[in-house]
Amino acid sequence: MDKILTLGIETSCDETAAAVLRGGREILSNVISTQIPLHQKFGGVVPEIASRKHIVNIMPVIDEAISRAGVDLRDINQIAVTFGPGLAGALLVGLSAAKSLAFALKIPLIAVNHLEGHIFANFLSAPELEPPFLSLVVSGGHTALIRMTDYNSFELLGQSRDDAAGEAFDKIARVMGLPYPGGPEIDKLAKLGDANAINFPHPKVDGYDFSFSGLKSAVLNFLNTAQMKSEAINLADVAASFQKTVVDTLAEKTLAAAEEFKLNKIVLAGGVAANSSLEKTLRAACNLRGLEFYYPTKILCTDNAAMIACRGYYQKTFADSTLNAVPNLGL
Ligand code: KG4
Ligand code: ZN
């Protein structure tokens, strides 16, 4: 059995995370220290606060990951760290820790793309999963359809031209007075509403690209108009109708791409993959068409370091001490 131990480190946004993986798919530990309560009072992530908090948390989180894995730091064979995309100052904290440890332990360093990491979370939830497949990556910063033909080949079929799906969830939630992050709050509220109550415009974009800014404006206009006319608003209906429009758009493009590229596995990834309606809709559509459907367990959907370690394990290319953060890194 493959006994390679990979230490994963993730600090791209508001979670300080470290994990130990044995081989490619066995999680020995997965520690996540979230800063969400800290940023909540500002209604979103404050980059400076995020970096400062990562500095305080990073070594204790790494220590915790090593100790929960029941290994010694000297047993670690390689370190995988997120180098982008993300907040520059936040990324640099994880990178500095990873570079220093790799240098001190004389072990290889692997530079991991955070978006690829989200896709790889699926290999941890479903050990039997193998490429090729179609992946829908939906996070706070990205919405993309990616064809993965093997572990190191990613073809971007389309992406959002403006807001990411998660960003739209967070902005609408904020206007509705819900706490950050808004995605899980809208998900919860939508369960109490009627998804067909309000007919929000379906975004119309060619090919496999997405756009959510028009929909976001339509929801904001709806809320403002109702407020100006002092009309009662059923927020649960707004949440459910907005969520349905996003989910239908995502599902429609994903299924069309699967058909065109003749891919029979659909793999959901990123924080918005935790959305119950998106999961249910895609699962039902896949069942109907005889497609296999994969999505990570909840804890692996949002930011974590196990997915970074997993991506690093399969990457097989190494970085050196000149590695820098790339905040706008694409696929
Ligand atoms: O992947 P992630 O943890 O961080 C980024 O890389 O961006 O994604 C965070 C995003 C946030 O926008 C959050 O609101 C959204 O994922 N999210 C959800 C749900 N849980 C998290 N969106 C909709 N429904 C959810 N249940
Ligand atoms: Zn993420």
Side-chain angles (χ1 to χ4, degrees), residues 142-289:
H142 294 82
T143 303
L145 267 174
I146 292 153
R147 175 157 75 141
M148 228 179 114
T149 42
D150 78 35
Y151 288 98
N152 292 299
S153 140
F154 306 84
E155 184 191 348
L156 183 64
L157 303 179
Q159 61 184 330
S160 179
R161 296 185 182 173
D162 39 59
D163 290 6
E167 206 176 340
F169 268 98
D170 292 343
K171 282 185 188 162
I172 298 295
R174 190 174 170 165
V175 173
M176 295 193 344
L178 301 170
Y180 174 84
E185 299 292 328
I186 295 219
D187 194 353
K188 241 188 289 168
L189 187 59
K191 291 196 168 79
L192 310 171
D194 172 7
N196 296 310
I198 309 155
N199 216 344
F200 290 126
H202 212 86
K204 288 209 168 22
V205 189
D206 293 342
Y208 298 117
D209 277 354
F210 300 93
S211 166
F212 293 108
S213 71
L215 171 62
K216 188 187 68 191
S217 303
V219 180
L220 297 182
N221 283 342
F222 177 87
L223 292 169
N224 287 337
T225 309
Q227 204 180 19
M228 274 186 324
K229 293 184 182 165
S230 302
E231 286 172 0
I233 309 172
N234 183 332
L235 287 181
D237 284 351
V238 177
S241 303
F242 159 73
Q243 178 173 276
K244 181 176 191 302
T245 312
V246 174
V247 166
D248 286 351
T249 308
L250 292 171
E252 202 176 281
K253 298 240 173 183
T254 305
L255 295 167
E259 190 175 330
E260 179 179 344
F261 293 96
K262 300 195 170 31
L263 294 163
N264 66 353
K265 290 179 213 164
I266 290 184
V267 169
L268 190 54
V272 184
N275 185 269
S276 54
S277 167
L278 179 59
E279 187 245 327
K280 225 161 84 189
T281 304
L282 271 178
R283 186 185 296 286
C286 286
N287 281 343
L288 206 66
R289 290 166 177 76

Side-chain angles (χ1 to χ4, degrees), residues 22-320:
R22 179 158 51 202
R25 306 203 180 198
E26 189 190 353
I27 300 174
L28 297 188
S29 65
N30 187 22
V31 179
I32 304 168
S33 167
T34 182
Q35 304 177 7
I36 286 176
L38 202 66
H39 297 281
Q40 249 165 2
K41 54 178 167 285
F42 303 100
V45 179
V46 184
E48 283 304 318
I49 296 180
S51 328
R52 232 180 297 156
K53 201 64 191 162
H54 282 310
I55 292 172
V56 174
N57 286 343
I58 187 72
M59 291 321 289
V61 164
I62 292 173
D63 282 347
E64 182 76 23
I66 296 291
S67 110
R68 280 197 211 169
V71 299
D72 191 279
L73 192 55
R74 279 165 295 228
D75 299 332
I76 298 293
N77 302 106
Q78 55 184 11
I79 300 180
V81 62
T82 304
F83 77 113
L87 302 168
L91 288 164
L92 284 173
V93 179
L95 274 182
S96 310
K99 286 202 271 187
S100 318
L101 282 173
F103 177 76
L105 297 167
K106 299 187 177 59
I107 55 175
L109 178 69
I110 307 166
V112 171
N113 180 318
H114 181 83
L115 297 176
E116 296 174 4
H118 272 302
I119 300 174
F120 277 66
N122 282 281
F123 294 126
L124 300 171
S125 293
E128 76 285 3
L129 176 63
E130 301 271 355
F133 54 70
L134 175 69
S135 184
L136 171 66
V137 183
V138 268
S139 73
H142 294 82
T143 303
L145 267 174
I146 292 153
R147 175 157 75 141
M148 228 179 114
T149 42
D150 78 35
Y151 288 98
N152 292 299
S153 140
F154 306 84
E155 184 191 348
L156 183 64
L157 303 179
Q159 61 184 330
S160 179
R161 296 185 182 173
D162 39 59
D163 290 6
E167 206 176 340
F169 268 98
D170 292 343
K171 282 185 188 162
I172 298 295
R174 190 174 170 165
V175 173
M176 295 193 344
L178 301 170
Y180 174 84
E185 299 292 328
I186 295 219
D187 194 353
K188 241 188 289 168
L189 187 59
K191 291 196 168 79
L192 310 171
D194 172 7
N196 296 310
I198 309 155
N199 216 344
F200 290 126
H202 212 86
K204 288 209 168 22
V205 189
D206 293 342
Y208 298 117
D209 277 354
F210 300 93
S211 166
F212 293 108
S213 71
L215 171 62
K216 188 187 68 191
S217 303
V219 180
L220 297 182
N221 283 342
F222 177 87
L223 292 169
N224 287 337
T225 309
Q227 204 180 19
M228 274 186 324
K229 293 184 182 165
S230 302
E231 286 172 0
I233 309 172
N234 183 332
L235 287 181
D237 284 351
V238 177
S241 303
F242 159 73
Q243 178 173 276
K244 181 176 191 302
T245 312
V246 174
V247 166
D248 286 351
T249 308
L250 292 171
E252 202 176 281
K253 298 240 173 183
T254 305
L255 295 167
E259 190 175 330
E260 179 179 344
F261 293 96
K262 300 195 170 31
L263 294 163
N264 66 353
K265 290 179 213 164
I266 290 184
V267 169
L268 190 54
V272 184
N275 185 269
S276 54
S277 167
L278 179 59
E279 187 245 327
K280 225 161 84 189
T281 304
L282 271 178
R283 186 185 296 286
C286 286
N287 281 343
L288 206 66
R289 290 166 177 76
L291 304 173
E292 289 174 39
F293 175 65
Y294 295 87
Y295 97 108
T297 48
K298 266 222 161 70
I299 194 68
L300 294 171
C301 280
T302 42
D303 292 348
N304 66 86
M307 68 184 196
I308 301 303
C310 180
R311 172 60 191 127
Y313 173 88
Y314 286 99
Q315 194 164 306
K316 317 274 186 214
T317 55
F318 301 102
D320 62 28

